[in-house]
Every structure is written in C-alpha cells, then in structure tokens.
Amino acid sequence: MHPAPVLSPLKTARREKIIAAAERYFIGNGLRSATMEGIAASAGISKVTVYGYFDDKDQIFQAVAARLAERLLAAVRTELGKSGSIRTRIAAALIAKHGLVDDLLKVSPYAGELMAAKEHVAAAIMAELDGAIEALIAAEIARQYSDADSAAATARLLFGSALGIAGHCRSMQMAAGDIVRLVDAVLPDP
C-alpha cells in the first residue's frame, strides 16, 4: 500500500487522528457533502491544521482508503496464515475481507456513494489491494497444488466471484456461506 509520509511522532499521531475522524465523517456524511471544515471539526482540530496535512477532501479520502486497505490486507494475511485446509483458509480470507467492508459500511446511508468514490478517488489504492490479495491467494494455491500457471487464474476467479457474491447477497452471513460453497466447488480436494 502507499506509505504515509515520514513525520515526527507528534505529526504522525495528528495525521492518524485526522484520518480516523475523516473515516467516521465520511461514513456519516458521504464524500460529496464532506467539507474540510467538517472533517476538522470531527477531528477536533482547526481547518488550517488539516490543510497542513492534506490538500483537499479527496486526498483525505485516499488516506482513509489506504488505511482501510492495510486493515483488509492484514485480515487476509491473518486468515491465510492460520492452520486448516486450504479451502477453509482461502474462504475465511475472502470472508474476512468482505466482512470488514460490510461492517464498516452497513451503518452508512452513504454506502453506495462511498463505494463509487472508492472506484474514482481511490482506484489505484484499491487495485493495488486487489492485486496483493489475489497474489497471496495464488501463492497458497500454488503451494498446495504445485501449479503456478493456473494458480493465478484460479485466484482471480475466486477473488472476482467472491466480490460479486458479496455485492449481490442481502447479508454477510449469506455471502459467507456462498463464498465457502464457491471455494469448495473451485478448489479440488488436495
């Protein structure tokens, strides 16, 4: 993911405070109606201070997206690193990724707007995340089945299908069950 600029501990803490406040603010207000003043007020700091770290709300949204991407990638790595069958670990990794997004956005009346903004304002960050997750899944598949050529294609199929499932299902519980069925259907018995 994109690293944050090198800052002193105090400035790093203040930047993180802005990003955390902005995440809550975007969830509650959407991106279109968000203002630098609103983000500053949410963080409990001055607008001038916010501008000292970010040029505009899109740049703050990108920082929020980068922080979320780090959390999602960490969740995927955690699930893939656990013991258990490859099917269980891959399904759990995909469920963890989509479950975190669901938990974050299910409380927001602006979920659709934020997902659309993710595609426009933070597309590069999300594409990098998607590629990293697919690569981790492909590495697990290649390790288990010793077929690196088809591992990337299988990982792409699983990742894309899980994305469609998560977007289509009415609940994360339903999506989780469907993702488990998908992984079981696609990956052969080891």
Side-chain angles (χ1 to χ4, degrees), residues 26-27 30 101-102 104-118:
F26 290 141
I27 289 169
V101 173
D102 183 67
L104 187 64
L105 292 179
K106 71 181 168 190
V107 298
S108 178
Y110 301 96
E113 176 190 328
L114 293 172
M115 291 300 286
K118 169 196 75 131

Side-chain angles (χ1 to χ4, degrees), residues 91 165 173-186:
I165 289 168
Q173 183 178 5
M174 180 187 290
D178 288 352
I179 289 170
V180 168
R181 282 187 282 286
L182 166 73
V183 173
D184 286 349
V186 170

Side-chain angles (χ1 to χ4, degrees), residues 2 13 36 47 70 82 87 93 104 117 133 142 146 159 173:
H2 300 282
M36 294 296 273
K47 180 173 73 168
E70 289 169 4
K82 289 181 177 178
R87 288 175 173 174
L104 187 64
I133 292 172
S146 303
F159 183 85
Q173 183 178 5

Side-chain angles (χ1 to χ4, degrees), residues 21-22 25 29 33-44 47:
Y25 185 80
N29 299 283
S33 65
T35 63
M36 294 296 273
E37 293 84 1
I39 294 167
S42 180
K47 180 173 73 168

Side-chain angles (χ1 to χ4, degrees), residues 12-181:
T12 298
R14 190 174 294 136
R15 184 178 190 279
E16 287 303 313
K17 181 179 180 179
I18 294 167
I19 293 169
E23 181 178 302
R24 292 186 305 272
Y25 185 80
F26 290 141
I27 289 169
N29 299 283
L31 179 63
R32 275 183 277 193
S33 65
T35 63
M36 294 296 273
E37 293 84 1
I39 294 167
S42 180
I45 57 178
S46 74
K47 180 173 73 168
V48 171
T49 301
V50 174
Y51 275 113
Y53 292 86
F54 300 99
D55 294 335
D56 56 32
K57 69 181 182 181
D58 285 354
Q59 198 176 62
I60 298 174
F61 189 84
Q62 290 170 350
V64 169
R67 190 174 112 171
L68 175 60
E70 289 169 4
R71 291 192 332 240
L72 294 171
L73 191 57
V76 167
R77 282 189 173 123
T78 296
E79 294 302 327
L80 289 175
K82 289 181 177 178
S83 61
S85 74
I86 187 170
R87 288 175 173 174
T88 300
R89 291 182 297 113
I90 289 175
L94 292 168
I95 292 165
K97 186 242 185 217
H98 293 291
L100 279 171
V101 173
D102 183 67
D103 287 345
L104 187 64
L105 292 179
K106 71 181 168 190
V107 298
S108 178
Y110 301 96
E113 176 190 328
L114 293 172
M115 291 300 286
K118 169 196 75 131
E119 296 302 322
H120 299 300
V121 178
I125 294 165
M126 292 298 119
E128 185 178 338
L129 170 67
D130 293 352
I133 292 172
E134 282 184 23
L136 288 170
I137 292 170
E140 289 298 316
I141 293 169
R143 239 188 316 280
Q144 181 69 41
Y145 299 104
S146 303
D147 185 2
D149 291 336
S150 68
T154 302
R156 191 172 50 255
L157 172 71
L158 290 170
F159 183 85
S161 298
L163 183 62
I165 289 168
H168 181 73
C169 288
R170 291 183 302 277
S171 72
M172 194 56 220
Q173 183 178 5
M174 180 187 290
D178 288 352
I179 289 170
V180 168
R181 282 187 282 286

